[in-house]
Amino acid sequence: MTTNVHRSTPLAWLPLAARLFLGGVFLYASADKLFAPAEFARIVYNYQILPDALINLSALVLLWLEFLLGVCLITGLWLPGAIVWANGLLWIFFASLLFNHFRGLDVHCGCFSTRPDPASPPATAWYLVRDPVFLVIAGYLLFFQFTGAKTPANSLKKERS
């Protein structure tokens, strides 16, 4: 006789893996920016979306917010808020890339480095594929965090009790 416990066990790690992956992405993205905030401000300026008066403030807030979100997602600290903020930032980043792509601006994304390789292309179709993958993972976490839907880990806990 088999039980649902055996069917749920292989995916019990999925929410944790998603959290750790996204947390790692945010920490990795913030690492270079923390040590080069002026260069990151130049990248934000190159997007030509914000007024000049908001460039430096936005760059500072973004780099520390990315770092804090990475820490929260990895540790599980303030998790519901971290998941909401991560989704919001990822949507803003993706919308900014799309906006400049359709405007025809060749902007280096600055996602993971403030010093882009001159030989590397600017925001290409690769970024427009990569970011939706991040959004799917973040959306998975958001859905299961706030809908109360059964994650594999939650199903396993309920069946054992």
Side-chain angles (χ1 to χ4, degrees):
M1 171 163 81
T2 60
T3 64
N4 289 336
V5 173
H6 297 292
R7 282 180 273 184
S8 298
T9 306
L11 294 179
W13 55 269
L14 196 55
L16 177 62
R19 268 187 33 223
L20 293 176
F21 175 76
L22 271 186
V25 166
F26 276 105
L27 280 180
Y28 181 70
S30 70
D32 190 47
K33 297 170 193 170
L34 289 171
F35 297 104
E39 286 82 4
F40 181 55
R42 276 192 273 287
I43 290 169
V44 172
Y45 172 79
N46 287 338
Y47 273 82
Q48 300 178 18
I49 295 174
L50 296 173
D52 292 348
L54 294 178
I55 300 294
N56 290 336
L57 177 64
S58 298
L60 286 173
V61 169
L62 279 175
L63 66 92
W64 284 106
L65 188 55
E66 284 180 348
F67 176 78
L68 182 61
L69 286 175
V71 169
C72 289
L73 288 169
I74 288 172
T75 64
L77 184 66
W78 302 320
L79 195 54
I83 290 172
V84 169
W85 275 97
N87 273 274
L89 273 185
L90 288 170
W91 275 108
I92 289 169
F93 295 158
F94 184 58
S96 299
L97 286 171
L98 275 177
F99 181 66
N100 277 335
H101 177 74
F102 288 118
R103 286 178 21 184
L105 293 178
D106 290 332
V107 177
H108 286 277
C109 97
C111 304
F112 297 108
S113 175
T114 58
R115 294 176 285 283
D117 179 8
S120 71
T124 62
W126 161 244
Y127 300 128
L128 301 177
V129 171
R130 179 199 62 196
D131 283 10
V133 171
F134 294 158
L135 284 168
V136 167
I137 295 168
Y140 166 81
L141 289 172
L142 186 70
F143 176 77
F144 286 106
Q145 179 71 39
F146 291 103
T147 63
K150 289 183 180 180
T151 63
N154 290 343
S155 298
L156 183 61
K157 288 176 190 173
K158 288 178 185 177
E159 290 174 7
R160 285 186 179 168
S161 56

